[in-house]
């Protein structure tokens, strides 16, 4: 290639305008460089329509004057478009006689004073997208091979500029989409946070309701159980008062003898012992209930005797099981000391027993109903367990029993939170683990393992 053409081409290829993505600035540079290198007045870039039925002027410079809005169609210039279909260089030294360009003579060449044309195809992404058209006025110009290569190289640079423009457009679109996405993500995140806050509030409310429901059951059972010893105590007290009044009357009448006085002493002794035993029983029930209820509400950590504590919390549970005609069997190892949360343990066993009332024994259940609660040492762990001989669990229920809000007794008022609370208390509050053993009609066993320290 001639040195002057190489110099112009090298300068264009090094220009930042080619790769900046500004297609109009890159096109202006390329056309100006063509006019300079070929020493012509008129050159332009024409883009082929997708259907290849027309070609439109994208940029046309004539003595540095811009022209556009020119469209050529295959219908009016079939020979020219046939030549374009070959995607080769159209080198017309005499444009008025060349087979591809002669049909432009009257409508385009003569009005513009054009005598020679050199058209080089522009390719992008493997296909032809247009041409660079070089137009010469004056004497006929025989285009040299160097000039054809020069224009072809600039056509390739235009293809590079088109690619840069597409990349820039994609980047702008991507930045816009990213901005919209960030906005949507922020909005969605805020919505999710609000929903999460609402969910946590609702969950806390439901859990509190579940805790209060369990305590309500305890209250009802304990109240019923306390009424019995109190009733006996009241009756015995009334009997003692009657005997005292009878003794007083005999004494005032001077009719009291040793035999009557001895009978009074024996009657009062029996009555007072009966009162003492029943009031002690009532006091024990109230004491254990107060400890269990307070622990469930506070959940503070302390070092305590687990064996004694489980005996305490079983006291208010017995009235509940007795009301349901269920035998409560407590199996405890000798003194087990543990540093843990007694309130959580109380709530766990209360929930397990309450859950049994609702699910374990259907109305058509036959045989003795038995719930077993206990604790024992297993290596460096403490195993607490719950067992019943009820209807057991289906495969689906076994897989989902600890899921929040899962219940098979929704129609009976079940919330599906009881076992979820048990799971969370064991795994999170106590730092332990659970093992579940159950088959249909084979009862249910839940083993809870916690560390001693």
């Amino acid at each position: 290639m001639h040195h002057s053409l190489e110099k112009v081409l090298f300068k264009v290829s090094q220009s930042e305008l080619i790769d900046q993505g500004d297609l109009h600035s890159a096109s202006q540079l390329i056309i100006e460089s063509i006019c300079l290198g070929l020493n012509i007045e008129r050159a332009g870039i024409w883009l082929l329509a997708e259907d290849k039925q027309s070609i439109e002027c994208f940029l046309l410079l004539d003595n540095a004057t811009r022209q556009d809005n020119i469209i050529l169609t295959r219908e009016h210039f079939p020979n020219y478009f046939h030549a374009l279909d070959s995607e080769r260089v159209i080198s017309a030294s005499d444009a008025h006689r060349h087979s591809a360009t002669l049909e432009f003579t009257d409508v385009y060449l003569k009005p513009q004073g054009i005598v020679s044309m050199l058209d080089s195809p522009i390719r992008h992404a493997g296909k032809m997208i247009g041409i660079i058209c070089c137009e010469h006025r004056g004497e006929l110009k025989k285009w040299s091979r160097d000039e054809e290569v020069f224009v072809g190289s600039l056509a390739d640079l235009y293809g590079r500029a088109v690619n840069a423009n597409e990349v820039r457009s994609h980047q702008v679109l991507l930045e816009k989409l990213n901005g919209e996405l960030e906005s949507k993500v922020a909005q969605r995140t805020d919505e999710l946070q609000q929903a999460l806050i609402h969910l946590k509030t609702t969950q806390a409310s439901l859990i509190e309701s579940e805790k209060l429901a369990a305590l309500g059951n305890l209250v009802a059972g304990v109240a019923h159980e306390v009424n019995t010893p109190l009733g006996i105590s009241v009756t015995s007290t009334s009997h003692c008062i009657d005997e005292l009044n009878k003794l007083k009357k005999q004494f005032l009448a001077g009719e009291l003898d040793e035999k009557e006085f001895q009978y009074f002493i024996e009657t009062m002794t029996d009555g007072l012992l009966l009162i003492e035993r029943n009031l002690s029983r009532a006091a024990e029930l109230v004491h254990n209930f107060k400890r269990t209820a307070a622990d469930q509400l506070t959940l503070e950590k302390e070092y305590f005797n687990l064996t004694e504590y489980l005996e305490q919390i079983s006291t208010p549970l017995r009235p509940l099981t007795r009301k349901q005609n269920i035998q409560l069997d407590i199996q405890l190892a000798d003194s087990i000391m543990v540093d843990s949360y007694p309130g959580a343990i109380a709530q766990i066993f209360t929930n397990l027993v309450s859950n049994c009332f609702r699910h374990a024994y259907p109305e058509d259940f036959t045989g003795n109903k038995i719930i077993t609660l206990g604790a024992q040492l297993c290596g460096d762990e403490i195993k607490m367990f719950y067992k019943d001989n009820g209807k057991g669990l289906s495969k689906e229920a076994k897989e989902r029993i600890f899921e929040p809000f899962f219940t098979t007794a929704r129609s009976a008022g079940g919330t599906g939170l009881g076992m979820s609370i048990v799971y969370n208390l064991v795994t999170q509050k106590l730092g332990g683990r659970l093992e579940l053993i159950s088959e249909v009609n084979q009862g249910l066993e839940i083993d809870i393992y916690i560390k001693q320290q």
Side-chain angles (χ1 to χ4, degrees):
M1 185 183 296
H2 193 275
H3 177 68
S4 61
L5 296 178
E6 285 185 346
K7 185 177 180 180
V8 173
L9 183 60
F10 183 72
K11 183 178 180 180
V12 175
S13 65
Q14 285 191 315
S15 175
E16 295 179 354
L17 294 177
I18 299 298
D19 298 309
Q20 280 183 343
D22 184 350
L23 193 56
H24 287 280
S25 297
S27 301
Q28 184 91 13
L29 172 65
I30 289 172
I31 296 304
E32 289 176 351
S33 300
I34 287 175
C35 292
L36 175 63
L38 299 181
N39 192 26
I40 58 177
E41 300 175 352
R42 184 180 173 95
I45 295 173
W46 299 68
L47 300 181
L48 192 63
E50 282 291 332
D51 61 1
K52 296 186 178 182
Q53 299 303 305
S54 64
I55 191 167
E56 181 177 2
C57 177
F58 176 72
L59 174 65
L60 179 62
L61 294 184
D62 188 347
N63 282 322
T65 301
R66 185 185 182 103
Q67 298 183 18
D68 49 22
N69 296 325
I70 304 174
I71 298 178
L72 306 177
T73 64
R74 183 182 294 270
E75 179 183 0
H76 295 98
F77 306 101
N79 293 333
Y80 180 71
F81 276 85
H82 180 72
L84 289 182
D85 291 340
S86 68
E87 299 188 7
R88 297 178 181 176
V89 174
I90 299 176
S91 180
S93 297
D94 187 350
H96 295 274
R97 295 187 178 183
H98 193 281
S99 60
T101 59
L102 63 85
E103 56 193 1
F104 291 136
T105 299
D106 294 329
V107 297
Y108 184 77
L109 300 179
K110 288 183 177 180
Q112 299 294 336
I114 299 169
V115 295
S116 302
M117 293 178 63
L118 175 61
D119 291 357
S120 182
I122 300 171
R123 294 181 177 85
H124 173 66
K127 66 177 183 178
M128 177 178 168
I129 62 170
I131 60 166
I132 288 183
C133 182
C134 309
E135 301 168 348
H136 174 65
R137 295 188 177 106
E139 299 294 329
L140 294 179
K141 181 177 180 63
K142 183 171 180 60
W143 305 104
S144 67
R145 178 59 183 165
D146 285 352
E147 289 173 330
E148 291 178 3
V149 172
F150 171 71
V151 176
S153 298
L154 288 174
D156 291 340
L157 288 177
Y158 180 80
R160 197 173 96 188
V162 170
N163 186 68
N165 177 257
E166 288 187 355
V167 170
R168 181 186 178 190
S169 298
H170 291 157
Q171 287 176 340
V172 171
L173 179 60
L174 184 61
E175 290 173 0
K176 180 182 178 182
L177 292 175
N178 284 339
E180 293 176 353
L181 181 60
E182 289 176 1
S183 176
K184 290 181 179 178
V185 168
Q187 179 183 355
R188 185 60 177 159
T189 300
D190 183 63
E191 292 175 356
L192 289 174
Q193 287 176 341
Q194 294 301 319
L196 182 60
I197 292 172
H198 178 70
L199 180 60
K200 287 182 176 179
T201 302
T202 303
Q203 185 183 37
S205 176
L206 288 172
I207 290 174
E208 195 65 25
S209 298
E210 190 78 12
K211 289 167 62 177
L212 292 176
L215 285 176
N217 289 333
L218 283 176
V219 169
V222 170
H224 175 77
E225 194 74 8
V226 168
N227 277 336
T228 300
L230 288 181
I232 295 173
S233 298
V234 169
T235 302
S236 182
T237 301
S238 177
H239 178 66
C240 288
I241 292 173
D242 290 341
E243 290 297 322
L244 181 61
N245 288 333
K246 181 179 178 181
L247 178 70
K248 182 178 179 181
K249 185 183 293 185
Q250 289 177 336
F251 175 75
L252 293 175
E255 299 175 353
L256 181 63
D257 57 21
E258 183 178 351
K259 183 178 179 181
E260 291 290 339
F261 188 71
Q262 185 66 32
Y263 173 77
F264 172 74
I265 291 175
E266 292 175 356
T267 301
M268 292 298 291
T269 300
D270 291 340
L272 290 174
L273 287 174
L274 185 62
I275 292 170
E276 181 187 25
R277 285 196 302 270
N278 281 277
L279 289 180
S280 296
R281 171 62 178 163
E284 181 186 4
L285 281 169
V286 171
H287 171 75
N288 289 340
F289 169 72
K290 286 174 63 179
R291 173 69 191 273
T292 302
D295 285 345
Q296 287 193 39
L297 292 175
T298 56
L299 298 182
E300 293 181 354
K301 191 174 187 179
E302 60 181 87
Y303 187 70
F304 63 99
N305 189 316
L306 179 62
T307 301
E308 293 180 358
Y309 185 69
L310 289 179
E311 288 177 344
Q312 286 182 359
I313 65 176
S314 68
T315 302
L317 290 175
R318 287 189 185 279
L320 297 177
T321 57
R322 191 177 299 116
K323 185 178 179 181
Q324 300 288 334
N325 296 318
I326 299 174
Q327 177 185 340
L328 181 60
D329 182 21
I330 307 297
Q331 299 179 1
L332 299 170
D334 293 337
S335 181
I336 302 174
M337 301 303 296
V338 64
D339 186 19
S340 190
Y341 297 87
I345 293 172
Q347 190 177 344
I348 287 168
F349 280 106
T350 301
N351 280 24
L352 289 174
V353 172
S354 298
N355 192 69
C356 170
F357 298 157
R358 185 173 287 145
H359 298 280
Y361 300 107
E363 293 183 0
D364 59 354
F365 183 84
T366 58
N368 295 329
K369 303 175 183 178
I370 303 174
I371 294 177
T372 304
L373 305 179
Q376 62 189 47
L377 290 173
C378 290
D380 62 346
E381 292 182 310
I382 296 172
K383 174 185 174 182
M384 299 181 291
F385 55 86
Y386 160 93
K387 300 178 184 178
D388 67 52
N389 63 339
K391 67 177 184 179
L393 300 177
S394 66
K395 182 179 179 181
E396 180 190 10
K398 284 174 63 176
E399 293 175 350
R400 302 185 60 191
I401 187 171
F402 297 120
E403 289 183 13
F405 309 111
F406 172 75
T407 178
T408 57
R410 187 80 63 190
S411 59
T415 63
L417 285 173
M419 297 304 291
S420 174
I421 291 173
V422 169
Y423 181 83
N424 289 334
L425 287 174
V426 172
T427 59
Q428 299 179 23
K429 197 69 178 178
L430 303 183
R433 58 189 175 87
L434 298 96
E435 291 184 2
L436 185 148
I437 304 169
S438 181
E439 298 294 338
V440 176
N441 298 322
Q442 298 296 317
L444 168 66
E445 177 177 350
I446 296 179
D447 297 329
I448 300 167
Y449 295 88
I450 62 172
K451 297 291 184 181
Q452 286 185 264
Q453 299 294 333

